[in-house]
Amino acid sequence: MNYKTKLHDIKAFVFDFDGVMTDGAVWMYADRETVRAGNIKDGFAIQYAVKKGYIVTVISGATSLSIDNRMQSLGVKKIYTGAANKLAVFHHFMEEHNLTPNQILCMGDDIPDYEIMNEAGVAACPSDAAIEIKQISDYISSYAGGQGCVRDIIEQTLRLHGKWFQPDAFNW
């Protein structure tokens, strides 16, 4: 089945953070603080999807206040960081929001994302994802992690649903 057909059912987006919303680089300082760089267009698409009524979350093994702060600033209500068992968190997320797997698009880039991507209705990944992740993905973005892959898949979904930017109906 074509992945665009599956996009019709999507109500929620689940993203890994490092390697999806970033290029995977983590700057580490002596005080153990870490810094990551994200893509502003990815950020726009996330907050726009939230405003249009989609559920957006992050399930990440990393723990960082910068992840929480970034996602909260975009309107994301629930962020799961420090997720040692991503599949258990994914199941909790589905139950909490009364979602079925076919209503969820999951984008990951590496082995820790494999199980949840395998269960999601649509599995997507950045162009620089691990080969094992590419093999199970319904869609491989032409953009790398941190370079617009999040915007790419959100925009495709919202366009298909008729909810992407319409100049005459643009209302914040």
Side-chain angles (χ1 to χ4, degrees), residues 23-93:
D23 66 3
V26 179
W27 295 71
M28 296 167 279
Y29 293 96
D31 65 359
R32 297 191 178 173
E33 182 59 34
T34 57
V35 176
R36 296 158 168 86
N39 183 293
I40 200 74
K41 290 180 182 175
D42 286 347
F44 172 78
I46 291 166
Q47 62 84 32
Y48 193 70
V50 169
K51 286 180 181 175
K52 291 295 184 178
Y54 293 84
I55 301 164
V56 180
T57 197
V58 166
I59 300 176
S60 175
T63 303
S64 173
L65 190 55
S66 64
I67 295 172
D68 295 338
N69 289 341
R70 174 66 175 149
M71 298 316 297
Q72 288 170 357
S73 75
L74 298 173
V76 175
K77 303 282 189 243
K78 200 76 165 180
I79 302 120
Y80 304 92
T81 55
N85 183 340
K86 287 188 174 190
L87 189 58
V89 173
F90 182 73
H91 289 153
H92 172 75
F93 169 77

Side-chain angles (χ1 to χ4, degrees), residues 3-4 6-16 20 54-57 59 90 93 99-108 116-117 119-125 138-139 149-150 152-158 161:
Y3 81 96
K4 287 205 175 193
K6 294 179 176 184
L7 290 180
H8 285 285
D9 295 330
I10 299 303
K11 294 182 178 181
F13 296 94
V14 172
F15 296 103
D16 180 29
V20 173
Y54 293 84
I55 301 164
V56 180
T57 197
I59 300 176
F90 182 73
F93 169 77
L99 294 165
T100 59
N102 67 311
Q103 296 173 314
I104 301 170
L105 182 146
C106 182
M107 181 175 259
I116 61 174
M117 289 177 67
E119 284 202 22
V122 177
C125 70
D138 298 299
Y139 176 71
C149 63
V150 172
D152 176 29
I153 197 62
I154 289 176
E155 183 177 335
Q156 284 188 56
T157 305
L158 272 62
H161 293 180

